[in-house]
Amino acid sequence: MTTTGVHPLRELLPEGSVFDDVDVLEAHRRDRATFCPAGTPSVLVRARSTEDVATTLRWADEHRVPVVPQGARSGLSGGANAVDGCVLLSVEKMDRILDIDVDEQLAVVQPGVVNGVLAARAAERGLFYPPDPGSRSVSTIGGNVATNAGGMCCVKYGVTGDFVRELEVVLADGRVMRTGRRTAKGVAGYDLARLIVGSEGTLGVVTEVTVALRPASARPLTAVAFFPTVADAAGTVAGYLGEGYRPSVLEFMDEPTVRCVQRVADLGFPDGTAGMLIAQSDRGDAAPDDLAAFERVARSFRATEVVVADDPVEGEMLMQARRLIGDSQEHLGALLIDDVCVPRGRLVDLVTGLERIAEEQRVQVLCAGHAGDGNMHPVVAFDADDPDESARAQRAFDDIMALGLELGGTITGEHGVGHLKRRWLGRELDPAALWAQRQIKNALDPHGILNPGRVLPDG
Amino acid sequence: MTTTGVHPLRELLPEGSVFDDVDVLEAHRRDRATFCPAGTPSVLVRARSTEDVATTLRWADEHRVPVVPQGARSGLSGGANAVDGCVLLSVEKMDRILDIDVDEQLAVVQPGVVNGVLAARAAERGLFYPPDPGSRSVSTIGGNVATNAGGMCCVKYGVTGDFVRELEVVLADGRVMRTGRRTAKGVAGYDLARLIVGSEGTLGVVTEVTVALRPASARPLTAVAFFPTVADAAGTVAGYLGEGYRPSVLEFMDEPTVRCVQRVADLGFPDGTAGMLIAQSDRGDAAPDDLAAFERVARSFRATEVVVADDPVEGEMLMQARRLIGDSQEHLGALLIDDVCVPRGRLVDLVTGLERIAEEQRVQVLCAGHAGDGNMHPVVAFDADDPDESARAQRAFDDIMALGLELGGTITGEHGVGHLKRRWLGRELDPAALWAQRQIKNALDPHGILNPGRVLPDG
């Protein structure tokens, strides 16, 4: 398993699939998580078929070599970072859309298909693939399945797992399993497809995904509301949803987040505003009523201004600005990106708690996110060259997770546990649940070769 | 473990929880599946708390005594039938609604709460619990979770599992696990809640369920369409959904089924009609357009008559008639009730295939079901006192499952595997999936005490 000499997988896999050049390995060591350790891989396999994946795993299981599955490496929790001596098993080149079945409203894709590409191809056929993680222009369906990725649509349409019908999965010892089904319903045996979804490459490697599509929705109408305090914005979210409205998007940005985005796109953010909400409705003729109700609720929470976009293009520009959040914050320094999710009635407590944490740890904490789901993205910005500030940033990050749990929420709404939140999993799950998770991991991967050190804490 | 003497569980459980009277045991030996074997239980435990369930399982696991969990025993696959020497563990008396949280749109219930009771209590608070199995007036949420129960709503709203947020589950050795979460999203660890859903009491006993509720929908409008052939009705289903409509109900009944229902309620079924569809839309102002489109598609498939109910009451009466199907067929003799689910584009092949099977095996096969999901309920009616006809009925039942698989479907869309379809599970699942299912069962229930002989085939 050294990087010199001929790697044994070269004998087993098609030519051009196995790479042990130091530069190539270095370029594939990490996903987009900051401050997660990355080890030194022994080899990179670029699988082009299920058989390549099965061959790799069979060999690795026999020789007890760790395997780290990779897609676009756009994850935010270190789940695709190398571990020492591992095989990096990339399915990025398995990127074909195998079928879009218009009559059954299904798509069958390889794991390396980019989310946005699938969505665009589906749209060309009059269909809609809702899950829309912020990374959708680069992240792949395989990675979306591995993390049960969310996005802005979830408040109305649900997460990746809600659209997965059938999976082909290569298990740790190289067995190829099909699980789930193409039909709308089915209860034949345990729901292994749903178990694999969100398992972050620790239970198997997904090599084919059948997803449900929906009929295209009407082009959404958009409204924005500006608030004097973040608590008013949070109160509007709970109030509006509590009245029974189901917006297709309900996003929050606080003032520091907006200030970043304003550097690259104008959101028309009035002075003296602490936060804003973006709401959309895609219910066609009913959309104006939905947004009128949003305006009414927002004004009851002291909104200083509410603007309903006259035409869909304006709304789409606003959404594009929303998607710039990540890039627009890079100048702030190092960033720790969180994704706690709380009951929406506790959003007010979350945003006010973030202010307290920022003060206590003397770091900047920005906050935006999928407010309609209570799934927020607090971002701790700090100077990584300052050891004291870095330590305070890490404490703030921990405090945010503690706050999420204290409010009846979860440490991760959509990014996954990976390496980043592994220490915290044992604080969220009770001992029986942790035991059950370990039993399942051991049952399906008895030699522990699949993405070791991810998700489940040691011990 | 005899039924004489004092059962050891009497010492461990509260007074009045343990029953070994022969009559009581006899009355609890079976669910509603026909032709499934039922063994002789040693004792019935009526749990009133999570602690009672944990105590029972701890004792049973230590003494290697099989445990069969029971709710309302309204299941149709023998999953709640006694096995010899077992503890029947009933959670029917754990029937409290612990909370309906209007702001978060959640309900927290004990497993013995009847589905219809939860739905009614939610409706009183302006909320909607969609999963509506045919048995909803008697079946319990615990049983609904155990089988991932469906119903008529699924075509638009999904199945029980789509509404489960958090579960309290007692594992085989008595450990109490909470899994899932109250929040809308969450990816902290494997999705064990979804693994427990549909596991039919073989992985744990559910003692508390948190379900998502929805805002109340508009009162639905209803249309019925009558067709000269069942194939025309099936074609209408695929055609209407293929155009992107999402009815809240889309049910099919063939002529023999309607004839049974007509004995107890008038469906206004015209002569010379081979089948009918019932469609509903609950989209308020958009409902008339939805049903006009349904009429257009139905007429393009030679519908002889399409009636749109003028007011919601008329529609509700029609749905009540639909719910009488089960009772209305009792006079036909013994019944084998199937629940295959096929891609909706193959419904035509399913219904024509059923006609062939009925002819070949010389038995009557009626068919109704949730056509919008491709989830049909073919019913084989036969004289159980005639051994030859009984054998042919059993062959017809098997042929129906084979047909479902051949059409790319599943042997069970919503009733579960239980005992009834266990032999067939190995024909639906591939060897790797079957292996993975067995590994999980062994990992969570190493002594195999939980509902042995159900779901997974021997071997």
Side-chain angles (χ1 to χ4, degrees), chain B residues 22 24-33 36-44 66-70 73 77-89 419 449-454:
Chain B
V22 173
V24 173
L25 296 182
E26 179 60 32
H28 287 78
R29 280 178 65 211
R30 295 184 170 280
D31 63 20
R32 292 195 189 177
C36 277
T40 304
S42 68
V43 71
L44 167 72
V67 175
V68 176
Q70 292 190 333
R73 289 175 295 111
S77 63
N81 282 9
V83 299
D84 283 336
C86 76
V87 176
L88 295 175
L89 176 52
H419 182 93
I449 63 154
L450 274 172
N451 221 1
R454 273 70 198 257

Side-chain angles (χ1 to χ4, degrees), chain B residues 269-299:
Chain B
F269 196 72
D271 285 343
T273 308
M276 71 183 281
L277 290 173
I278 307 176
Q280 289 195 325
S281 168
D282 60 3
R283 294 206 306 138
D285 293 346
D289 285 351
D290 290 348
L291 297 186
F294 172 74
E295 173 164 6
R296 172 177 49 73
V297 176
R299 292 208 186 276

Side-chain angles (χ1 to χ4, degrees), chain B residues 144-165:
Chain B
N144 294 172
V145 168
T147 55
N148 197 9
M152 291 196 276
C153 73
C154 307
V155 63
K156 179 165 180 180
Y157 293 106
V159 294
T160 298
D162 296 319
F163 291 85
V164 170
R165 287 272 181 90

Side-chain angles (χ1 to χ4, degrees), chain B residues 159-200:
Chain B
V159 294
T160 298
D162 296 319
F163 291 85
V164 170
R165 287 272 181 90
E166 189 172 39
L167 295 177
E168 183 186 78
V169 183
V170 183
L171 298 173
D173 62 2
R175 287 171 213 253
V176 181
M177 163 175 93
R178 290 195 82 86
T179 187
R181 54 197 63 76
R182 283 174 68 93
T183 52
K185 294 160 74 178
V187 291
Y190 307 142
D191 192 347
L192 299 189
R194 217 40 199 250
L195 180 67
I196 296 294
V197 171
S199 64
E200 304 187 37

Side-chain angles (χ1 to χ4, degrees), chain A residues 90-351:
Chain A
S90 172
V91 292
E92 208 176 1
K93 298 291 179 195
M94 293 177 68
D95 61 355
R96 281 183 302 138
I97 294 178
L98 301 173
D99 187 27
I100 292 185
D101 185 328
V102 175
D103 293 331
E104 302 292 335
Q105 297 171 348
L106 292 175
V108 184
V109 305
Q110 290 188 316
V113 170
V114 170
N115 175 303
V117 171
L118 170 59
R121 292 292 164 279
E124 287 166 11
R125 311 291 298 273
L127 294 167
F128 174 29
Y129 179 64
D132 60 347
S135 59
R136 77 181 314 179
S137 63
V138 293
S139 70
T140 59
I141 299 297
N144 294 173
V145 168
T147 56
N148 197 9
M152 291 197 277
C153 74
C154 307
V155 63
K156 180 165 179 180
Y157 293 107
V159 294
T160 299
D162 296 319
F163 293 85
V164 170
R165 287 274 180 91
E166 190 172 38
L167 295 176
E168 183 185 76
V169 183
V170 184
L171 298 174
D173 61 2
R175 286 170 214 251
V176 181
M177 162 174 94
R178 289 196 83 85
T179 186
R181 54 195 65 73
R182 284 173 68 93
T183 53
K185 295 160 73 180
V187 291
Y190 306 143
D191 192 346
L192 299 189
R194 218 38 199 251
L195 180 67
I196 296 294
V197 171
S199 65
E200 304 187 38
T202 65
L203 299 180
V205 179
V206 172
T207 47
E208 192 185 294
V209 185
T210 301
V211 294
L213 303 171
R214 291 176 59 103
S217 292
R219 251 179 121 176
L221 277 190
T222 307
V224 285
F226 302 95
F227 298 89
T229 70
V230 291
D232 286 319
T236 298
V237 171
Y240 184 53
L241 296 175
E243 286 194 16
Y245 289 93
R246 292 177 67 86
S248 52
V249 161
L250 190 51
E251 294 286 313
F252 168 76
M253 283 189 244
D254 70 358
E255 190 269 344
T257 303
V258 173
R259 219 184 312 134
C260 291
V261 176
Q262 293 271 51
R263 293 161 54 97
V264 284
D266 185 18
L267 293 172
F269 196 71
D271 285 342
T273 307
M276 71 185 281
L277 290 173
I278 307 176
Q280 288 195 325
S281 169
D282 62 0
R283 294 205 308 137
D285 294 344
D289 286 350
D290 290 348
L291 297 186
F294 173 73
E295 174 164 4
R296 173 177 47 75
V297 176
R299 292 210 186 273
S300 77
F301 280 92
R302 306 194 299 158
T304 50
E305 203 178 324
V306 183
V307 184
V308 179
D310 286 313
D311 72 299
V313 176
E314 218 176 311
E316 187 41 41
M317 283 171 59
L318 206 59
M319 293 302 284
Q320 276 173 19
R322 159 66 185 86
R323 290 197 189 92
L324 294 171
I325 290 179
D327 291 342
S328 75
Q329 295 176 339
E330 281 172 7
H331 69 285
L332 294 177
L335 304 174
L336 278 166
I337 302 165
D338 195 82
D339 69 320
V340 287
C341 185
V342 299
R344 62 195 187 218
R346 308 306 298 273
L347 269 178
V348 175
D349 303 310
L350 181 69
V351 292

Side-chain angles (χ1 to χ4, degrees), chain A residues 103-105 175-176 178 185 187 190 194 202 215 241 244 344-345 375 412 414 430 432 435 437 439 443, chain B residues 103-105 175-176 178 185 187 190 194 202 214-215 241 244 344-345 375 412 414 430 432 435 437 439 443:
Chain A
D103 293 331
E104 302 292 335
Q105 297 171 348
R175 286 170 214 251
V176 181
R178 289 196 83 85
K185 295 160 73 180
V187 291
Y190 306 143
R194 218 38 199 251
T202 65
L241 296 175
R344 62 195 187 218
N375 184 199
T412 176
E414 59 181 10
D430 68 30
W435 174 85
Q437 304 231 350
Q439 289 290 103
Chain B
D103 292 332
E104 301 293 334
Q105 298 170 347
R175 287 171 213 253
V176 181
R178 290 195 82 86
K185 294 160 74 178
V187 291
Y190 307 142
R194 217 40 199 250
T202 64
R214 291 176 61 102
L241 297 175
R344 62 193 186 218
N375 184 200
T412 175
E414 59 179 11
D430 68 29
W435 175 84
Q437 303 232 349
Q439 288 291 101

Side-chain angles (χ1 to χ4, degrees), chain B residues 37-56:
Chain B
T40 304
S42 68
V43 71
L44 167 72
V45 172
R46 282 196 189 284
R48 283 187 165 75
S49 69
T50 301
E51 190 45 42
D52 290 353
V53 173
T55 300
T56 304

